Every structure is written in C-alpha cells, then in structure tokens.
Amino acid sequence: MRLAPHGALPRRIDGVWWPYSRDLLTQLPKMLAALPRAWGDITGVTVDAAAWSAAPGRMFVANQVVRLHKAPASPHAPDRVVLLSPGLGRWDLQVIPPDATEEAAALLTAAALDDRRPGADGEARPPTPTAGPHGRVGPTGRGTRAPRW
C-alpha cells in the first residue's frame, strides 16, 4: 500500500493498494492493519462488487465490526476501495489488480498519486490525513513475483 502525500488540495485518490488476491476476507484485515492510526477505526468499507470474492455484509477485524458494502464500479472509479471512519473521514484507495506486473503496478500507482492530474470524477473533499508510504501489506514476496508495496 502507498498513501498519497498530504497536501493542501483535495485529492480524488488517497492511496493505492496492491492486494495478493481478490479474497476480501483474507486481504482486507491486512490492509486495515497497515493504515495510519490517524485514520481511526474503519467501520465501513465499500468495494467493487464484480471485482471481489464473495464476502459477508460485515466482518470482525481487530476487535471491531467492519461493515462491507459491495457496489457496482463507477466509470470514474473503476476499482476503488472506499474506507469510512465515523467523525474522521473517507479515504479512497485505488486497487492495483493482484495479477498486475511490477511495471504495470508502478505505472498505475504513479498515475493515481499524481497531484498534477485534475480529478476525473470532479469529487471535492477536504484534505484527508495521510502518513506517507507504509511499506508492504502481507507476506514478503510470492514465488518469483516482484515485492508488493
């Protein structure tokens, strides 16, 4: 996972997440554990219904209930995970497909986190707290694949 640098302007993407698989029950707890503490307790997660494996409407993560919402992908946000923390904010993470090559993931990450690109979805939100890159989520490496971040 890589988070966008904190800035004065609103962002349409707050970071990127490159999961190992589309198994939401396995990948989501690892991702939530890697988030900055300043984001608070994430109690709601919305994902693209077509992109993820079956999952219940809620799950227990780090001693709290997280409600899972599956919604159709927006044409402006093709594969995005939306995180909600009551009273603290909303954060949108672009999902890098698990089977992406390292080169493709790097290009998608650079495009998603580029401050110079205008927001394609026209969404205006106040700046959200971020804490910079947070290293990998999940086990180190996988076969001969490039390391994840």
Side-chain angles (χ1 to χ4, degrees):
M1 177 177 358
R2 291 214 177 141
L3 301 179
H6 182 69
L9 298 175
R11 302 187 61 86
R12 65 182 188 91
I13 293 293
D14 300 299
V16 295
W17 177 37
W18 191 12
Y20 284 94
S21 73
R22 292 293 184 165
D23 180 357
L24 196 57
L25 294 176
T26 301
Q27 298 301 306
L28 187 61
K30 294 173 186 177
M31 186 265 286
L32 293 177
L35 294 174
R37 288 184 187 202
W39 287 19
D41 292 331
I42 302 298
T43 60
V45 176
T46 301
V47 298
D48 173 6
W52 293 93
S53 64
R58 60 185 168 197
M59 62 190 288
F60 199 63
V61 178
N63 296 321
Q64 72 177 37
V65 174
V66 176
R67 294 192 185 280
L68 302 175
H69 308 278
K70 288 191 166 190
S74 160
H76 300 295
D79 197 357
R80 186 179 289 190
V81 172
V82 177
L83 308 172
L84 300 173
S85 179
L88 292 176
R90 166 188 165 158
W91 294 274
D92 292 17
L93 301 178
Q94 177 74 41
V95 178
I96 305 297
D99 58 351
T101 64
E102 183 177 8
E103 181 179 338
L107 290 172
L108 289 168
T109 298
L113 299 180
D114 185 357
D115 273 337
R116 295 169 298 190
R117 291 181 48 193
D121 58 7
E123 183 175 303
R125 292 192 325 261
T128 55
T130 58
H134 279 274
R136 316 185 9 75
V137 174
T140 305
R142 182 169 77 183
T144 59
R145 297 208 37 166
R148 302 286 173 130
W149 27 260

